[in-house]
Amino acid sequence: MNKPVVRFAPSPTGYLHIGGARTALFNWLYAKKNGGTFLLRIEDTDVERSKAEYIDQITDALSWLGFDWDNNVVLQSKNKSRHKEVVNQMIESGTAYRCFLSKEELDTLRQESEKKKELFRVPKTYRDYSLDQQQTLIDEGKAFTVRLKIPGGITEFSDLVYGTIKVDNKELDDFIIARSDGSPTYNFVVAIDDSDMNISHIIRGDDHLANTPKQILVYKALGLAIPIFAHLPMILGADKKRLSKRHAATNVQEYKEKGFTPTAIINYLSLLGWNPDSDQEIFNINELISAFNFNQVQKKPATFDEKKLLWVSGQQMARMETSAAVKEVESLDSNWGMNQDSKYKNDVIALVKDRSKTLNDLIEISDVFFKESISYDEEMSKKILDDSSIQIVADLHEALNIEENWRKDALESIFDNLMTQHELGLGKLIKPVRFALTGLSYGPGIFDMMILLGKDRCLNRLSDAAKL
């Protein structure tokens, strides 16, 4: 459909969850793909749990990801008078009614059904009371909820992911649209807000599938246009249970702090439930927008795999322009590379970028190029620098000290001689040398690294390591 209007509607009861970010992404991609509008609504009617700080965090996280929403943010709490107005209209028109059954009465009836092992249904005791009869009970001081009059028949809709879904209305109770304190319920206010915002497509998690028939019944009761629905597969942890903190970090802010870039997060989230029908797994934003199609969204749950996220992030890091990576690192850590020459910083990042999976990796590996001396982890020192390794470090120091040509071919020749002298392969030779030079067990190619560090710095570090 051309120019769809979609919305992302989180509740500000916590940070933006990684599952919520995936929902926002699919809405945003669909809007961008089809020249549509992407709106943001904050569903903040849960007064006790909603907090302004979470609203700020959600909008900050969406902005960081690059999900630019159209128009102003809509706060659901600002629509309270509108919701109550529609409730009263429905009572007056007879599509809803006041129900005076108390909680205690309902609990008793529910317990009786359980004893008889029968399916509990809310009695429609007050469904056909006239407005005058209802008013009489109100005058007597009786509390009430407001329930929707569910008609007979079938509620059917075509989901962009799940296909045709049918629900027999007799399986649904006349559900509450306004509580006894007058506050409207979720399935009611969502339908009103979506209609008022002219939402054409509702794209959300499949945990809302059970809510959709109820919301459609609200649309029908009010004679409103029914939007198109698309329900996204659930995201599970490795144990096939719903993703939670026991599996991995679950909010976007944590991944930002871990040094993942927005592009890496978006790329990985796109693969959770969407299959591009090709072997391609690494996408830039424009490629994603162009490729995205609901025909390729799967019904089966997606499994969140942080190892796969790291792999995707590493691939994106390798693709990133060096200058862009420098800006990302400087944005994450304002002290990084302080007082260093711009060209040198670019040279450092160009060298270490392909060996890094996150910006934090970049910071850690690149930091050794900005220090005159480094500190060594005591436990790693014991594992890596045994007597034979110390001798390799000392012999390398001696050979480098008399080498006048600080070039790659000269360094390779020195290493060849050391391999022969110590009867070791290059890999085993490099391990203690790398640790001596950087304090790390991983990093870029040893010769390129040594050339960039410079002769004096390499000699000083080899000398320090030999003394450990």
Side-chain angles (χ1 to χ4, degrees):
M1 178 178 176
N2 289 329
K3 302 188 182 305
V5 180
V6 300
R7 51 68 164 177
F8 176 54
S11 298
T13 55
Y15 296 110
L16 179 62
H17 188 275
I18 207 76
R22 196 274 306 265
T23 299
L25 170 63
F26 281 31
N27 274 278
W28 185 82
L29 287 175
Y30 191 72
K32 292 294 181 184
K33 173 75 177 281
N34 296 285
T37 302
F38 173 66
L39 302 177
L40 176 61
R41 182 174 73 231
I42 302 294
E43 300 193 334
D44 59 341
T45 50
D46 187 338
V47 178
E48 291 184 3
R49 297 175 62 213
S50 295
K51 295 182 179 179
E53 66 189 80
Y54 292 138
I55 297 177
D56 293 340
Q57 193 281 327
I58 289 168
T59 54
D60 287 348
L62 291 173
S63 296
W64 177 70
L65 288 168
F67 300 159
D68 48 324
W69 57 89
D70 300 290
N71 305 337
N72 295 326
V73 177
V74 174
L75 295 178
Q76 193 173 63
S77 58
K78 301 292 186 183
N79 299 334
K80 285 182 179 178
S81 60
R82 165 68 174 154
H83 300 150
K84 290 182 178 179
E85 173 191 331
V86 177
V87 168
N88 291 332
Q89 287 176 0
M90 294 179 74
I91 293 172
E92 291 292 327
S93 67
T95 54
Y97 64 96
R98 298 182 182 92
C99 175
F100 296 88
L101 289 168
S102 67
K103 182 179 182 300
E104 292 72 22
E105 288 175 304
L106 289 169
D107 287 344
T108 299
L109 292 169
R110 188 177 288 105
Q111 289 169 7
E112 290 175 359
S113 294
E114 288 174 358
K115 287 178 183 178
K116 297 176 182 177
K117 296 184 178 179
E118 296 175 348
L119 181 64
F120 174 70
R121 290 292 181 212
V122 175
K124 299 177 181 179
T125 310
Y126 300 94
R127 180 180 170 113
D128 296 319
Y129 270 43
S130 66
L131 292 176
D132 288 339
Q133 288 174 307
Q134 293 176 40
Q135 188 59 50
T136 298
L137 293 174
I138 293 171
D139 293 341
E140 292 175 3
K142 294 206 70 171
F144 62 87
T145 58
V146 179
R147 293 182 181 273
L148 182 72
K149 281 186 181 178
I150 294 181
I154 301 290
T155 297
E156 179 179 337
F157 65 98
S158 182
D159 189 273
L160 292 180
V161 177
Y162 283 85
T164 300
I165 294 177
K166 297 181 181 181
V167 175
D168 193 327
N169 291 352
K170 68 183 180 183
E171 296 178 7
L172 302 173
D173 284 322
D174 287 353
F175 61 89
I176 294 173
I177 62 172
R179 303 177 186 90
S180 56
D181 64 359
S183 61
T185 57
Y186 172 79
N187 282 314
F188 176 73
V189 297
V190 165
I192 302 306
D193 290 345
D194 284 336
S195 177
D196 287 352
M197 293 171 69
N198 297 312
I199 302 301
S200 65
H201 292 69
I202 296 177
I203 303 166
R204 58 190 180 187
D206 64 6
D207 52 328
H208 284 283
L209 263 173
N211 291 326
T212 300
K214 295 179 180 180
Q215 291 166 20
I216 288 174
L217 287 167
V218 173
Y219 285 111
K220 287 183 174 180
L222 292 165
L224 302 174
I226 299 171
I228 296 169
F229 291 89
H231 290 88
L232 309 176
M234 189 177 293
I235 301 176
L236 307 178
D239 59 359
K240 304 305 177 185
K241 294 182 179 178
R242 189 166 186 167
L243 185 67
S244 68
K245 288 185 177 180
R246 69 176 180 275
H247 300 111
T250 55
N251 75 67
V252 172
Q253 181 65 30
E254 288 178 273
Y255 286 100
K256 180 181 179 182
E257 291 168 357
K258 285 184 173 187
F260 289 92
T261 63
T263 303
I265 295 293
I266 289 169
N267 188 164
Y268 180 67
L269 290 179
S270 72
L271 302 176
L272 294 179
W274 174 70
N275 187 330
D277 291 339
S278 72
D279 294 332
Q280 184 176 355
E281 292 186 290
I282 305 303
F283 297 84
N284 63 36
I285 301 302
N286 288 332
E287 288 171 333
L288 273 179
I289 292 171
S290 177
F292 185 75
N293 191 318
F294 266 108
N295 292 335
Q296 299 160 339
V297 176
Q298 302 167 323
K299 300 182 184 70
K300 66 179 182 180
T303 301
F304 188 90
D305 181 352
E306 197 157 276
K307 289 182 180 178
K308 183 64 176 287
L309 169 59
L310 279 168
W311 178 81
V312 169
S313 183
Q315 297 296 309
Q316 288 288 358
M317 193 69 68
R319 276 185 166 204
M320 189 184 297
E321 293 288 338
T322 298
S323 57
V326 170
K327 287 181 180 178
E328 288 279 4
V329 170
E330 289 176 334
S331 175
L332 188 64
D333 182 354
S334 59
N335 293 319
W336 177 84
M338 188 176 288
N339 302 322
Q340 296 290 334
D341 176 74
S342 179
K343 181 182 181 305
Y344 182 66
K345 288 194 289 187
N346 275 270
D347 288 344
V348 169
I349 291 298
L351 180 61
V352 304
K353 186 165 63 69
D354 290 357
R355 303 299 178 99
S356 305
K357 290 183 169 62
T358 67
L359 297 174
N360 286 353
D361 288 348
L362 274 182
I363 291 171
E364 181 179 47
I365 302 174
S366 63
D367 193 46
V368 302
F369 291 92
F370 303 133
K371 295 178 177 179
E372 288 306 313
S373 59
I374 56 175
S375 58
Y376 299 96
D377 180 86
E378 188 175 342
E379 289 301 314
M380 285 185 68
S381 298
K382 290 177 181 178
K383 290 179 181 179
I384 296 175
L385 296 179
D386 56 19
D387 290 343
S388 61
S389 296
I390 289 289
Q391 189 59 53
I392 290 169
V393 170
D395 289 345
L396 177 60
H397 181 278
E398 183 180 349
L400 292 176
N401 195 36
I402 59 175
E403 177 59 58
E404 295 181 359
N405 297 315
W406 197 253
R407 298 194 311 263
K408 189 172 184 179
D409 58 345
L411 296 178
E412 288 175 342
S413 179
I414 290 173
F415 272 71
D416 285 340
N417 292 334
L418 282 174
M419 288 162 61
T420 302
Q421 179 184 341
H422 290 272
E423 298 180 344
L424 288 173
L426 184 59
K428 290 190 176 181
L429 187 70
I430 285 177
K431 186 175 181 180
V433 173
R434 183 185 300 283
F435 182 73
L437 292 174
T438 67
L440 302 172
S441 60
Y442 66 102
I446 194 74
F447 303 121
D448 291 331
M449 182 181 74
M450 291 175 69
I451 290 170
L452 191 56
L453 281 170
K455 183 175 180 178
D456 291 343
R457 198 178 277 164
C458 286
L459 288 173
N460 289 337
R461 292 183 184 181
L462 290 170
S463 177
D464 289 343
K467 296 172 184 175
L468 290 175

